[in-house]
Amino acid sequence: RAARVYSVSRVLQRCELCPRKEGALKRTDSGGWAHVVCALYIPEVTFGNNVRMEPIITSKLPRERFSKSCYLCEDQGLETQAGHGACMACHKSGCRLAFHVTCAQKERLLCEEEDSRDTRNIVYCGYCMVHFKKMVRRLARQQDRFTISARLVSLTLTSL
């Protein structure tokens, strides 16, 4: 059964986890609203029912997430929005940049990666622009090497 997305009255509700009002909002355990995408990408946020993806449980969210400022909002001159909601951190170890999930989504910085501890699981993560671009270049180089290796194997097999 598909998850329900609530149609909120004519007055748009703001997500508890980001400054955005539009998008797929669901009820939280505190009676507010949150985006499903925000719940997926902030590690401490869970769902009361994983199949229906509701309610969104935010009670285990550390307060530090709310004290970080979104660098993407700040870069766009939206300082008043930068401090609203909870921010996720760049997935690159050692990077201190933080951002709202929906800001990263808008900039196409969100990823789904294979969990290194359990390949059956997916890790929802995001990168700052600098580390995202580096990751894309690294993956492109790996793809080029794979393509060259596959061609060499193919040439070797056809010459046998």
Side-chain angles (χ1 to χ4, degrees):
R1 182 170 170 236
R4 290 182 300 191
V5 175
Y6 292 98
S7 174
V8 185
S9 67
R10 292 178 189 213
V11 177
L12 292 175
Q13 301 296 319
R14 180 174 276 181
C15 176
E16 290 180 16
L17 305 173
C18 79
R20 306 276 184 262
K21 293 181 180 182
E22 64 283 336
L25 295 166
K26 291 207 171 192
R27 281 282 186 191
T28 65
D29 56 338
S30 63
W33 298 91
H35 291 108
V36 172
V37 70
C38 290
L40 287 170
Y41 280 85
I42 297 177
E44 301 88 357
V45 178
T46 58
F47 296 101
N49 180 315
N50 287 329
V51 174
R52 293 178 48 201
M53 299 174 86
E54 62 185 329
I56 295 173
I57 310 295
T58 60
S59 56
K60 296 175 187 155
L61 197 56
R63 299 299 334 149
E64 304 88 65
R65 289 240 184 242
F66 291 95
S67 65
K68 296 183 181 197
S69 189
C70 174
Y71 92 94
L72 295 168
C73 284
E74 289 173 351
D75 284 356
Q76 295 173 16
L78 304 170
E79 286 83 8
T80 57
Q81 291 184 12
H84 178 82
C87 287
M88 64 184 289
C90 176
H91 195 59
K92 176 68 176 170
S93 180
C95 183
R96 293 179 166 239
L97 291 177
F99 39 84
H100 296 118
V101 173
T102 51
C103 293
Q105 182 182 37
K106 182 180 172 191
E107 297 296 328
R108 304 180 89 164
L109 301 172
L110 298 179
C111 301
E112 296 174 10
E113 297 180 356
E114 191 176 83
D115 189 339
S116 59
R117 296 166 301 201
D118 183 353
T119 57
R120 296 171 295 172
N121 289 331
I122 292 174
V123 175
Y124 292 97
C125 59
Y127 292 88
C128 69
M129 285 189 185
V130 169
H131 291 120
F132 186 83
K133 288 176 183 175
K134 286 182 179 181
M135 179 189 62
V136 168
R137 283 194 298 269
R138 180 179 49 81
L139 291 173
R141 283 192 304 272
Q142 287 175 348
Q143 180 64 37
D144 288 344
R145 282 194 294 268
F146 175 77
T147 303
I148 291 167
S149 297
R151 284 187 189 141
L152 289 174
V153 168
S154 176
L155 290 171
T156 304
L157 291 175
T158 56
S159 64
L160 293 176

